[in-house]
PDB file of all heavy atoms in Angstrom:
ATOM      1  N   LEU Q  57       4.458  29.062  -1.979  1.00 83.00           N
ATOM      2  CA  LEU Q  57       5.679  28.674  -1.282  1.00 83.00           C
ATOM      3  C   LEU Q  57       5.254  27.631  -0.232  1.00 83.00           C
ATOM      4  O   LEU Q  57       4.218  27.849   0.476  1.00 83.00           O
ATOM      5  CB  LEU Q  57       6.342  29.862  -0.640  1.00 83.00           C
ATOM      6  CG  LEU Q  57       7.714  29.728   0.049  1.00 83.00           C
ATOM      7  CD1 LEU Q  57       8.776  29.445  -1.012  1.00 83.00           C
ATOM      8  CD2 LEU Q  57       8.023  30.940   0.812  1.00 83.00           C
ATOM      9  N   THR Q  58       6.004  26.590  -0.028  1.00 88.00           N
ATOM     10  CA  THR Q  58       5.670  25.624   0.960  1.00 88.00           C
ATOM     11  C   THR Q  58       6.812  25.703   2.082  1.00 88.00           C
ATOM     12  O   THR Q  58       7.988  25.555   1.800  1.00 88.00           O
ATOM     13  CB  THR Q  58       5.696  24.180   0.441  1.00 88.00           C
ATOM     14  OG1 THR Q  58       4.658  24.077  -0.572  1.00 88.00           O
ATOM     15  CG2 THR Q  58       5.443  23.174   1.529  1.00 88.00           C
ATOM     16  N   VAL Q  59       6.323  25.994   3.297  1.00 89.00           N
ATOM     17  CA  VAL Q  59       7.225  26.180   4.457  1.00 89.00           C
ATOM     18  C   VAL Q  59       6.930  25.016   5.406  1.00 89.00           C
ATOM     19  O   VAL Q  59       5.782  24.900   5.881  1.00 89.00           O
ATOM     20  CB  VAL Q  59       7.054  27.554   5.085  1.00 89.00           C
ATOM     21  CG1 VAL Q  59       7.926  27.627   6.368  1.00 89.00           C
ATOM     22  CG2 VAL Q  59       7.381  28.646   4.149  1.00 89.00           C
ATOM     23  N   VAL Q  60       7.927  24.243   5.779  1.00 89.00           N
ATOM     24  CA  VAL Q  60       7.717  23.111   6.707  1.00 89.00           C
ATOM     25  C   VAL Q  60       8.342  23.509   8.134  1.00 89.00           C
ATOM     26  O   VAL Q  60       9.411  24.090   8.193  1.00 89.00           O
ATOM     27  CB  VAL Q  60       8.320  21.855   6.174  1.00 89.00           C
ATOM     28  CG1 VAL Q  60       9.868  21.985   6.004  1.00 89.00           C
ATOM     29  CG2 VAL Q  60       8.019  20.629   7.046  1.00 89.00           C
ATOM     30  N   LEU Q  61       7.585  23.144   9.154  1.00 90.00           N
ATOM     31  CA  LEU Q  61       8.021  23.374  10.520  1.00 90.00           C
ATOM     32  C   LEU Q  61       8.657  22.100  11.029  1.00 90.00           C
ATOM     33  O   LEU Q  61       7.950  21.064  11.085  1.00 90.00           O
ATOM     34  CB  LEU Q  61       6.838  23.784  11.428  1.00 90.00           C
ATOM     35  CG  LEU Q  61       6.022  24.975  10.949  1.00 90.00           C
ATOM     36  CD1 LEU Q  61       4.915  25.301  11.940  1.00 90.00           C
ATOM     37  CD2 LEU Q  61       6.881  26.177  10.727  1.00 90.00           C
ATOM     38  N   VAL Q  62       9.909  22.100  11.450  1.00 87.00           N
ATOM     39  CA  VAL Q  62      10.636  20.915  11.842  1.00 87.00           C
ATOM     40  C   VAL Q  62      11.256  21.183  13.177  1.00 87.00           C
ATOM     41  O   VAL Q  62      11.759  22.295  13.468  1.00 87.00           O
ATOM     42  CB  VAL Q  62      11.692  20.571  10.745  1.00 87.00           C
ATOM     43  CG1 VAL Q  62      12.414  19.268  11.179  1.00 87.00           C
ATOM     44  CG2 VAL Q  62      11.115  20.387   9.409  1.00 87.00           C
ATOM     45  N   GLY Q  63      11.333  20.114  14.000  1.00 85.00           N
ATOM     46  CA  GLY Q  63      12.045  20.275  15.269  1.00 85.00           C
ATOM     47  C   GLY Q  63      11.716  19.101  16.198  1.00 85.00           C
ATOM     48  O   GLY Q  63      10.931  18.239  15.832  1.00 85.00           O
ATOM     49  N   LYS Q  69       6.088  23.944  17.564  1.00 86.00           N
ATOM     50  CA  LYS Q  69       5.786  23.991  16.143  1.00 86.00           C
ATOM     51  C   LYS Q  69       4.311  24.235  15.878  1.00 86.00           C
ATOM     52  O   LYS Q  69       3.949  25.094  15.034  1.00 86.00           O
ATOM     53  CB  LYS Q  69       6.227  22.596  15.423  1.00 86.00           C
ATOM     54  CG  LYS Q  69       7.711  22.380  15.539  1.00 86.00           C
ATOM     55  CD  LYS Q  69       8.089  21.059  14.765  1.00 86.00           C
ATOM     56  CE  LYS Q  69       7.445  19.819  15.362  1.00 86.00           C
ATOM     57  NZ  LYS Q  69       7.830  19.613  16.802  1.00 86.00           N
ATOM     58  N   SER Q  70       3.472  23.493  16.602  1.00 86.00           N
ATOM     59  CA  SER Q  70       2.032  23.668  16.441  1.00 86.00           C
ATOM     60  C   SER Q  70       1.553  25.063  16.896  1.00 86.00           C
ATOM     61  O   SER Q  70       0.668  25.666  16.273  1.00 86.00           O
ATOM     62  CB  SER Q  70       1.232  22.622  17.246  1.00 86.00           C
ATOM     63  OG  SER Q  70       1.552  21.291  16.702  1.00 86.00           O
ATOM     64  N   LEU Q  72       3.400  27.769  16.700  1.00 89.00           N
ATOM     65  CA  LEU Q  72       3.787  28.686  15.600  1.00 89.00           C
ATOM     66  C   LEU Q  72       2.813  28.577  14.421  1.00 89.00           C
ATOM     67  O   LEU Q  72       2.427  29.588  13.816  1.00 89.00           O
ATOM     68  CB  LEU Q  72       5.226  28.424  15.213  1.00 89.00           C
ATOM     69  CG  LEU Q  72       5.758  29.376  14.119  1.00 89.00           C
ATOM     70  CD1 LEU Q  72       5.700  30.813  14.538  1.00 89.00           C
ATOM     71  CD2 LEU Q  72       7.222  28.987  13.803  1.00 89.00           C
ATOM     72  N   LEU Q  73       2.430  27.378  14.044  1.00 88.00           N
ATOM     73  CA  LEU Q  73       1.460  27.200  12.956  1.00 88.00           C
ATOM     74  C   LEU Q  73       0.163  27.989  13.264  1.00 88.00           C
ATOM     75  O   LEU Q  73      -0.327  28.761  12.470  1.00 88.00           O
ATOM     76  CB  LEU Q  73       1.101  25.706  12.802  1.00 88.00           C
ATOM     77  CG  LEU Q  73      -0.070  25.439  11.820  1.00 88.00           C
ATOM     78  CD1 LEU Q  73       0.320  25.789  10.393  1.00 88.00           C
ATOM     79  CD2 LEU Q  73      -0.573  24.055  11.924  1.00 88.00           C
ATOM     80  N   LEU Q  76       0.764  31.720  12.950  1.00 85.00           N
ATOM     81  CA  LEU Q  76       0.910  32.172  11.547  1.00 85.00           C
ATOM     82  C   LEU Q  76      -0.376  32.228  10.754  1.00 85.00           C
ATOM     83  O   LEU Q  76      -0.628  33.121   9.954  1.00 85.00           O
ATOM     84  CB  LEU Q  76       1.964  31.294  10.838  1.00 85.00           C
ATOM     85  CG  LEU Q  76       3.356  31.393  11.261  1.00 85.00           C
ATOM     86  CD1 LEU Q  76       4.238  30.336  10.604  1.00 85.00           C
ATOM     87  CD2 LEU Q  76       3.956  32.777  10.898  1.00 85.00           C
ATOM     88  N   VAL Q  77      -1.229  31.242  11.037  1.00 82.00           N
ATOM     89  CA  VAL Q  77      -2.536  31.143  10.334  1.00 82.00           C
ATOM     90  C   VAL Q  77      -3.635  31.919  11.003  1.00 82.00           C
ATOM     91  O   VAL Q  77      -4.733  32.044  10.485  1.00 82.00           O
ATOM     92  CB  VAL Q  77      -2.957  29.705  10.033  1.00 82.00           C
ATOM     93  CG1 VAL Q  77      -1.855  29.015   9.300  1.00 82.00           C
ATOM     94  CG2 VAL Q  77      -3.340  28.959  11.342  1.00 82.00           C
ATOM     95  N   ALA Q  82      -3.943  23.439  14.883  1.00 54.00           N
ATOM     96  CA  ALA Q  82      -3.316  22.270  15.418  1.00 54.00           C
ATOM     97  C   ALA Q  82      -3.504  22.204  16.891  1.00 54.00           C
ATOM     98  O   ALA Q  82      -3.597  23.217  17.574  1.00 54.00           O
ATOM     99  CB  ALA Q  82      -1.823  22.253  15.103  1.00 54.00           C
ATOM    100  N   THR Q  91       1.537  16.034  18.276  1.00 54.00           N
ATOM    101  CA  THR Q  91       1.390  16.003  16.813  1.00 54.00           C
ATOM    102  C   THR Q  91       1.921  14.727  16.283  1.00 54.00           C
ATOM    103  O   THR Q  91       3.077  14.448  16.397  1.00 54.00           O
ATOM    104  CB  THR Q  91       2.044  17.227  16.136  1.00 54.00           C
ATOM    105  OG1 THR Q  91       1.519  18.448  16.701  1.00 54.00           O
ATOM    106  CG2 THR Q  91       1.778  17.184  14.670  1.00 54.00           C
ATOM    107  N   ASP Q  93       0.749  13.661  12.968  1.00 68.00           N
ATOM    108  CA  ASP Q  93       0.545  13.664  11.519  1.00 68.00           C
ATOM    109  C   ASP Q  93       0.861  15.146  11.035  1.00 68.00           C
ATOM    110  O   ASP Q  93       0.912  16.031  11.848  1.00 68.00           O
ATOM    111  CB  ASP Q  93      -0.889  13.242  11.146  1.00 68.00           C
ATOM    112  CG  ASP Q  93      -1.012  12.822   9.682  1.00 68.00           C
ATOM    113  OD1 ASP Q  93      -0.028  12.909   8.920  1.00 68.00           O
ATOM    114  OD2 ASP Q  93      -2.059  12.283   9.327  1.00 68.00           O
ATOM    115  N   THR Q  94       1.005  15.300   9.686  1.00 76.00           N
ATOM    116  CA  THR Q  94       1.220  16.663   9.197  1.00 76.00           C
ATOM    117  C   THR Q  94      -0.115  17.397   9.095  1.00 76.00           C
ATOM    118  O   THR Q  94      -1.186  16.817   8.880  1.00 76.00           O
ATOM    119  CB  THR Q  94       1.850  16.604   7.771  1.00 76.00           C
ATOM    120  OG1 THR Q  94       0.979  15.847   6.942  1.00 76.00           O
ATOM    121  CG2 THR Q  94       3.166  16.006   7.793  1.00 76.00           C
ATOM    122  N   VAL Q  95      -0.006  18.744   9.460  1.00 82.00           N
ATOM    123  CA  VAL Q  95      -1.173  19.554   9.368  1.00 82.00           C
ATOM    124  C   VAL Q  95      -0.820  20.764   8.450  1.00 82.00           C
ATOM    125  O   VAL Q  95       0.172  21.429   8.702  1.00 82.00           O
ATOM    126  CB  VAL Q  95      -1.603  20.143  10.750  1.00 82.00           C
ATOM    127  CG1 VAL Q  95      -2.814  21.051  10.631  1.00 82.00           C
ATOM    128  CG2 VAL Q  95      -1.911  18.993  11.697  1.00 82.00           C
ATOM    129  N   GLU Q  96      -1.594  20.972   7.391  1.00 82.00           N
ATOM    130  CA  GLU Q  96      -1.311  22.022   6.421  1.00 82.00           C
ATOM    131  C   GLU Q  96      -2.367  23.072   6.429  1.00 82.00           C
ATOM    132  O   GLU Q  96      -3.554  22.852   6.502  1.00 82.00           O
ATOM    133  CB  GLU Q  96      -1.182  21.440   4.982  1.00 82.00           C
ATOM    134  CG  GLU Q  96      -0.104  20.451   4.825  1.00 82.00           C
ATOM    135  CD  GLU Q  96       0.038  20.056   3.369  1.00 82.00           C
ATOM    136  OE1 GLU Q  96      -0.507  20.724   2.408  1.00 82.00           O
ATOM    137  OE2 GLU Q  96       0.777  19.055   3.079  1.00 82.00           O
ATOM    138  N   ARG Q  97      -1.892  24.366   6.382  1.00 85.00           N
ATOM    139  CA  ARG Q  97      -2.818  25.542   6.288  1.00 85.00           C
ATOM    140  C   ARG Q  97      -2.202  26.550   5.322  1.00 85.00           C
ATOM    141  O   ARG Q  97      -0.993  26.636   5.223  1.00 85.00           O
ATOM    142  CB  ARG Q  97      -3.102  26.168   7.643  1.00 85.00           C
ATOM    143  CG  ARG Q  97      -3.892  25.310   8.605  1.00 85.00           C
ATOM    144  CD  ARG Q  97      -5.292  25.078   8.076  1.00 85.00           C
ATOM    145  NE  ARG Q  97      -6.185  24.378   9.032  1.00 85.00           N
ATOM    146  CZ  ARG Q  97      -6.247  23.032   9.081  1.00 85.00           C
ATOM    147  NH1 ARG Q  97      -5.523  22.275   8.307  1.00 85.00           N
ATOM    148  NH2 ARG Q  97      -7.056  22.463  10.001  1.00 85.00           N
ATOM    149  N   GLN Q  98      -3.048  27.299   4.624  1.00 82.00           N
ATOM    150  CA  GLN Q  98      -2.600  28.290   3.698  1.00 82.00           C
ATOM    151  C   GLN Q  98      -2.700  29.686   4.296  1.00 82.00           C
ATOM    152  O   GLN Q  98      -3.743  29.989   4.919  1.00 82.00           O
ATOM    153  CB  GLN Q  98      -3.368  28.212   2.383  1.00 82.00           C
ATOM    154  CG  GLN Q  98      -2.993  27.070   1.409  1.00 82.00           C
ATOM    155  CD  GLN Q  98      -3.356  25.755   1.984  1.00 82.00           C
ATOM    156  OE1 GLN Q  98      -4.505  25.555   2.501  1.00 82.00           O
ATOM    157  NE2 GLN Q  98      -2.515  24.749   1.851  1.00 82.00           N
ATOM    158  N   VAL Q  99      -1.684  30.478   4.084  1.00 82.00           N
ATOM    159  CA  VAL Q  99      -1.761  31.898   4.501  1.00 82.00           C
ATOM    160  C   VAL Q  99      -1.152  32.693   3.370  1.00 82.00           C
ATOM    161  O   VAL Q  99      -0.694  32.184   2.374  1.00 82.00           O
ATOM    162  CB  VAL Q  99      -0.963  32.114   5.810  1.00 82.00           C
ATOM    163  CG1 VAL Q  99      -1.548  31.408   7.006  1.00 82.00           C
ATOM    164  CG2 VAL Q  99       0.546  31.751   5.648  1.00 82.00           C
ATOM    165  N   VAL Q 106       1.349  31.071   0.845  1.00 85.00           N
ATOM    166  CA  VAL Q 106       2.253  30.223   1.560  1.00 85.00           C
ATOM    167  C   VAL Q 106       1.511  29.074   2.226  1.00 85.00           C
ATOM    168  O   VAL Q 106       0.481  29.301   2.912  1.00 85.00           O
ATOM    169  CB  VAL Q 106       3.044  31.036   2.650  1.00 85.00           C
ATOM    170  CG1 VAL Q 106       3.973  30.093   3.447  1.00 85.00           C
ATOM    171  CG2 VAL Q 106       3.812  32.136   1.976  1.00 85.00           C
ATOM    172  N   THR Q 107       2.031  27.868   2.039  1.00 87.00           N
ATOM    173  CA  THR Q 107       1.405  26.690   2.689  1.00 87.00           C
ATOM    174  C   THR Q 107       2.320  26.380   3.907  1.00 87.00           C
ATOM    175  O   THR Q 107       3.532  26.061   3.696  1.00 87.00           O
ATOM    176  CB  THR Q 107       1.373  25.459   1.766  1.00 87.00           C
ATOM    177  OG1 THR Q 107       0.512  25.781   0.661  1.00 87.00           O
ATOM    178  CG2 THR Q 107       0.791  24.259   2.464  1.00 87.00           C
ATOM    179  N   ILE Q 108       1.797  26.426   5.090  1.00 87.00           N
ATOM    180  CA  ILE Q 108       2.571  26.109   6.325  1.00 87.00           C
ATOM    181  C   ILE Q 108       2.269  24.635   6.643  1.00 87.00           C
ATOM    182  O   ILE Q 108       1.108  24.292   6.760  1.00 87.00           O
ATOM    183  CB  ILE Q 108       2.181  27.055   7.484  1.00 87.00           C
ATOM    184  CG1 ILE Q 108       2.251  28.512   7.079  1.00 87.00           C
ATOM    185  CG2 ILE Q 108       3.088  26.760   8.677  1.00 87.00           C
ATOM    186  CD1 ILE Q 108       3.638  29.033   6.773  1.00 87.00           C
ATOM    187  N   VAL Q 109       3.309  23.856   6.872  1.00 88.00           N
ATOM    188  CA  VAL Q 109       3.151  22.408   7.202  1.00 88.00           C
ATOM    189  C   VAL Q 109       3.680  22.167   8.560  1.00 88.00           C
ATOM    190  O   VAL Q 109       4.893  22.248   8.784  1.00 88.00           O
ATOM    191  CB  VAL Q 109       3.814  21.567   6.152  1.00 88.00           C
ATOM    192  CG1 VAL Q 109       3.577  20.062   6.453  1.00 88.00           C
ATOM    193  CG2 VAL Q 109       3.352  21.898   4.747  1.00 88.00           C
ATOM    194  N   ASP Q 110       2.828  21.847   9.513  1.00 87.00           N
ATOM    195  CA  ASP Q 110       3.261  21.431  10.834  1.00 87.00           C
ATOM    196  C   ASP Q 110       3.552  19.905  10.816  1.00 87.00           C
ATOM    197  O   ASP Q 110       2.852  19.187  10.106  1.00 87.00           O
ATOM    198  CB  ASP Q 110       2.149  21.724  11.879  1.00 87.00           C
ATOM    199  CG  ASP Q 110       2.597  21.397  13.321  1.00 87.00           C
ATOM    200  OD1 ASP Q 110       3.789  21.321  13.568  1.00 87.00           O
ATOM    201  OD2 ASP Q 110       1.677  21.178  14.182  1.00 87.00           O
ATOM    202  N   THR Q 111       4.563  19.492  11.520  1.00 85.00           N
ATOM    203  CA  THR Q 111       4.924  18.054  11.380  1.00 85.00           C
ATOM    204  C   THR Q 111       5.122  17.471  12.825  1.00 85.00           C
ATOM    205  O   THR Q 111       5.276  18.173  13.830  1.00 85.00           O
ATOM    206  CB  THR Q 111       6.287  17.938  10.635  1.00 85.00           C
ATOM    207  OG1 THR Q 111       7.339  18.623  11.365  1.00 85.00           O
ATOM    208  CG2 THR Q 111       6.124  18.534   9.275  1.00 85.00           C
ATOM    209  N   ALA Q 112       5.208  16.144  12.832  1.00 78.00           N
ATOM    210  CA  ALA Q 112       5.515  15.458  14.095  1.00 78.00           C
ATOM    211  C   ALA Q 112       6.947  15.736  14.514  1.00 78.00           C
ATOM    212  O   ALA Q 112       7.844  15.875  13.723  1.00 78.00           O
ATOM    213  CB  ALA Q 112       5.392  13.896  13.817  1.00 78.00           C
ATOM    214  N   ARG Q 128       6.214  10.769   7.707  1.00 81.00           N
ATOM    215  CA  ARG Q 128       5.483  11.785   7.064  1.00 81.00           C
ATOM    216  C   ARG Q 128       6.177  13.171   7.195  1.00 81.00           C
ATOM    217  O   ARG Q 128       6.063  13.994   6.262  1.00 81.00           O
ATOM    218  CB  ARG Q 128       4.065  11.846   7.594  1.00 81.00           C
ATOM    219  CG  ARG Q 128       3.266  10.593   7.295  1.00 81.00           C
ATOM    220  CD  ARG Q 128       1.805  10.735   7.597  1.00 81.00           C
ATOM    221  NE  ARG Q 128       1.095   9.535   7.216  1.00 81.00           N
ATOM    222  CZ  ARG Q 128      -0.238   9.407   7.154  1.00 81.00           C
ATOM    223  NH1 ARG Q 128      -0.948  10.444   7.483  1.00 81.00           N
ATOM    224  NH2 ARG Q 128      -0.778   8.272   6.795  1.00 81.00           N
ATOM    225  N   THR Q 129       6.851  13.342   8.275  1.00 80.00           N
ATOM    226  CA  THR Q 129       7.675  14.637   8.397  1.00 80.00           C
ATOM    227  C   THR Q 129       8.724  14.673   7.345  1.00 80.00           C
ATOM    228  O   THR Q 129       8.899  15.745   6.662  1.00 80.00           O
ATOM    229  CB  THR Q 129       8.304  14.708   9.815  1.00 80.00           C
ATOM    230  OG1 THR Q 129       7.279  14.789  10.800  1.00 80.00           O
ATOM    231  CG2 THR Q 129       9.219  15.919   9.911  1.00 80.00           C
ATOM    232  N   ARG Q 130       9.448  13.660   7.145  1.00 81.00           N
ATOM    233  CA  ARG Q 130      10.482  13.594   6.157  1.00 81.00           C
ATOM    234  C   ARG Q 130       9.947  13.768   4.750  1.00 81.00           C
ATOM    235  O   ARG Q 130      10.596  14.424   3.922  1.00 81.00           O
ATOM    236  CB  ARG Q 130      11.285  12.243   6.278  1.00 81.00           C
ATOM    237  CG  ARG Q 130      12.070  12.117   7.558  1.00 81.00           C
ATOM    238  CD  ARG Q 130      12.848  10.843   7.606  1.00 81.00           C
ATOM    239  NE  ARG Q 130      13.611  10.722   8.858  1.00 81.00           N
ATOM    240  CZ  ARG Q 130      14.824  11.273   9.057  1.00 81.00           C
ATOM    241  NH1 ARG Q 130      15.410  11.913   8.042  1.00 81.00           N
ATOM    242  NH2 ARG Q 130      15.433  11.110  10.221  1.00 81.00           N
ATOM    243  N   ALA Q 131       8.776  13.210   4.504  1.00 84.00           N
ATOM    244  CA  ALA Q 131       8.137  13.428   3.197  1.00 84.00           C
ATOM    245  C   ALA Q 131       7.761  14.864   2.958  1.00 84.00           C
ATOM    246  O   ALA Q 131       7.914  15.446   1.895  1.00 84.00           O
ATOM    247  CB  ALA Q 131       6.879  12.584   3.068  1.00 84.00           C
ATOM    248  N   ALA Q 132       7.325  15.545   4.025  1.00 83.00           N
ATOM    249  CA  ALA Q 132       6.927  16.972   3.944  1.00 83.00           C
ATOM    250  C   ALA Q 132       8.223  17.787   3.708  1.00 83.00           C
ATOM    251  O   ALA Q 132       8.206  18.780   2.924  1.00 83.00           O
ATOM    252  CB  ALA Q 132       6.240  17.397   5.225  1.00 83.00           C
ATOM    253  N   VAL Q 133       9.304  17.500   4.372  1.00 84.00           N
ATOM    254  CA  VAL Q 133      10.554  18.168   4.181  1.00 84.00           C
ATOM    255  C   VAL Q 133      11.062  18.042   2.746  1.00 84.00           C
ATOM    256  O   VAL Q 133      11.550  18.998   2.156  1.00 84.00           O
ATOM    257  CB  VAL Q 133      11.619  17.585   5.123  1.00 84.00           C
ATOM    258  CG1 VAL Q 133      13.035  18.146   4.763  1.00 84.00           C
ATOM    259  CG2 VAL Q 133      11.308  18.004   6.578  1.00 84.00           C
ATOM    260  N   ALA Q 134      10.834  16.868   2.089  1.00 84.00           N
ATOM    261  CA  ALA Q 134      11.317  16.616   0.813  1.00 84.00           C
ATOM    262  C   ALA Q 134      10.655  17.533  -0.298  1.00 84.00           C
ATOM    263  O   ALA Q 134      11.227  17.827  -1.316  1.00 84.00           O
ATOM    264  CB  ALA Q 134      11.101  15.147   0.396  1.00 84.00           C
ATOM    265  N   ARG Q 135       9.411  17.963   0.014  1.00 85.00           N
ATOM    266  CA  ARG Q 135       8.719  18.782  -0.997  1.00 85.00           C
ATOM    267  C   ARG Q 135       8.696  20.276  -0.548  1.00 85.00           C
ATOM    268  O   ARG Q 135       7.995  21.061  -1.199  1.00 85.00           O
ATOM    269  CB  ARG Q 135       7.294  18.278  -1.184  1.00 85.00           C
ATOM    270  CG  ARG Q 135       6.391  18.210   0.046  1.00 85.00           C
ATOM    271  CD  ARG Q 135       5.023  17.572  -0.301  1.00 85.00           C
ATOM    272  NE  ARG Q 135       4.223  17.394   0.884  1.00 85.00           N
ATOM    273  CZ  ARG Q 135       3.429  18.318   1.377  1.00 85.00           C
ATOM    274  NH1 ARG Q 135       3.351  19.513   0.750  1.00 85.00           N
ATOM    275  NH2 ARG Q 135       2.715  18.128   2.429  1.00 85.00           N
ATOM    276  N   ALA Q 136       9.380  20.654   0.496  1.00 84.00           N
ATOM    277  CA  ALA Q 136       9.315  21.991   1.031  1.00 84.00           C
ATOM    278  C   ALA Q 136      10.223  22.878   0.237  1.00 84.00           C
ATOM    279  O   ALA Q 136      11.253  22.458  -0.313  1.00 84.00           O
ATOM    280  CB  ALA Q 136       9.671  22.041   2.500  1.00 84.00           C
ATOM    281  N   ASP Q 137       9.928  24.233   0.267  1.00 84.00           N
ATOM    282  CA  ASP Q 137      10.776  25.275  -0.384  1.00 84.00           C
ATOM    283  C   ASP Q 137      11.711  25.909   0.747  1.00 84.00           C
ATOM    284  O   ASP Q 137      12.791  26.269   0.436  1.00 84.00           O
ATOM    285  CB  ASP Q 137       9.941  26.343  -1.013  1.00 84.00           C
ATOM    286  CG  ASP Q 137       9.134  25.741  -2.131  1.00 84.00           C
ATOM    287  OD1 ASP Q 137       9.718  25.251  -3.086  1.00 84.00           O
ATOM    288  OD2 ASP Q 137       7.888  25.904  -2.031  1.00 84.00           O
ATOM    289  N   VAL Q 138      11.150  25.939   1.983  1.00 86.00           N
ATOM    290  CA  VAL Q 138      11.919  26.511   3.089  1.00 86.00           C
ATOM    291  C   VAL Q 138      11.625  25.706   4.341  1.00 86.00           C
ATOM    292  O   VAL Q 138      10.453  25.250   4.487  1.00 86.00           O
ATOM    293  CB  VAL Q 138      11.523  27.988   3.339  1.00 86.00           C
ATOM    294  CG1 VAL Q 138      12.265  28.554   4.512  1.00 86.00           C
ATOM    295  CG2 VAL Q 138      11.812  28.854   2.104  1.00 86.00           C
ATOM    296  N   ALA Q 139      12.595  25.490   5.183  1.00 87.00           N
ATOM    297  CA  ALA Q 139      12.372  24.796   6.464  1.00 87.00           C
ATOM    298  C   ALA Q 139      12.588  25.778   7.573  1.00 87.00           C
ATOM    299  O   ALA Q 139      13.540  26.517   7.631  1.00 87.00           O
ATOM    300  CB  ALA Q 139      13.303  23.568   6.611  1.00 87.00           C
ATOM    301  N   LEU Q 140      11.667  25.696   8.562  1.00 89.00           N
ATOM    302  CA  LEU Q 140      11.807  26.471   9.856  1.00 89.00           C
ATOM    303  C   LEU Q 140      12.153  25.398  10.876  1.00 89.00           C
ATOM    304  O   LEU Q 140      11.373  24.577  11.263  1.00 89.00           O
ATOM    305  CB  LEU Q 140      10.538  27.171  10.170  1.00 89.00           C
ATOM    306  CG  LEU Q 140      10.006  28.153   9.175  1.00 89.00           C
ATOM    307  CD1 LEU Q 140       8.777  28.894   9.773  1.00 89.00           C
ATOM    308  CD2 LEU Q 140      11.006  29.125   8.679  1.00 89.00           C
ATOM    309  N   LEU Q 142      12.725  24.630  14.447  1.00 89.00           N
ATOM    310  CA  LEU Q 142      12.366  25.214  15.787  1.00 89.00           C
ATOM    311  C   LEU Q 142      13.201  24.595  16.858  1.00 89.00           C
ATOM    312  O   LEU Q 142      13.370  23.354  16.889  1.00 89.00           O
ATOM    313  CB  LEU Q 142      10.885  25.030  16.085  1.00 89.00           C
ATOM    314  CG  LEU Q 142      10.036  26.178  15.604  1.00 89.00           C
ATOM    315  CD1 LEU Q 142       9.803  26.095  14.081  1.00 89.00           C
ATOM    316  CD2 LEU Q 142       8.652  26.170  16.273  1.00 89.00           C
TER     317      LEU Q 142
END
Side-chain angles (χ1 to χ4, degrees):
L57 187 70
T58 299
V59 176
V60 63
L61 308 181
V62 181
K69 299 184 296 300
S70 297
L72 182 57
L73 170 71
L76 291 171
V77 303
T91 303
D93 203 351
T94 56
V95 178
E96 297 187 13
R97 290 294 185 272
Q98 283 70 43
V99 296
V106 178
T107 299
I108 309 292
V109 184
D110 184 22
T111 65
R128 294 193 177 189
T129 296
R130 292 181 180 276
V133 168
R135 60 184 176 86
D137 299 302
V138 178
L140 303 186
L142 270 75

